Amino acid sequence: MNDEKLKIVLALLSGVIFSLIFILLAFILPLHSPKTPEKTMDSELQKLSKEYKKNQYVPPPSENH
């Protein structure tokens, strides 16, 4: 094999290997980390409870007599 053919074969091989590395990394590394916790009944009930307490009517001090 002469030098030109060898260079072409090595360039193609290195390109294929380089591409495979990035394809594998794309599958292994996540795009974004999950920052939101899973919704459970407890978390939903806690949210509802907080909203209910926050929205309860509190009479002004002048009406407390």
Side-chain angles (χ1 to χ4, degrees):
M1 233 200 274
N2 62 13
D3 268 351
E4 293 300 317
K5 285 183 183 177
L6 185 61
K7 285 181 185 177
I8 291 172
V9 169
L10 287 176
L12 287 173
L13 257 169
S14 61
V16 168
I17 291 172
F18 196 69
S19 299
L20 286 175
I21 288 172
F22 277 101
I23 290 170
L24 287 174
L25 283 177
F27 285 113
I28 293 171
L29 298 175
L31 292 177
H32 54 83
S33 60
K35 296 189 182 205
T36 56
E38 288 185 28
K39 287 186 177 180
T40 60
M41 287 302 288
D42 287 339
S43 65
E44 292 297 313
L45 287 174
Q46 286 174 354
K47 272 193 230 175
L48 286 172
S49 175
K50 286 179 185 176
E51 288 296 316
Y52 177 75
K53 288 177 184 175
K54 187 173 89 174
N55 293 327
Q56 275 185 339
Y57 175 72
V58 178
S62 62
E63 292 182 12
N64 282 342
H65 301 218

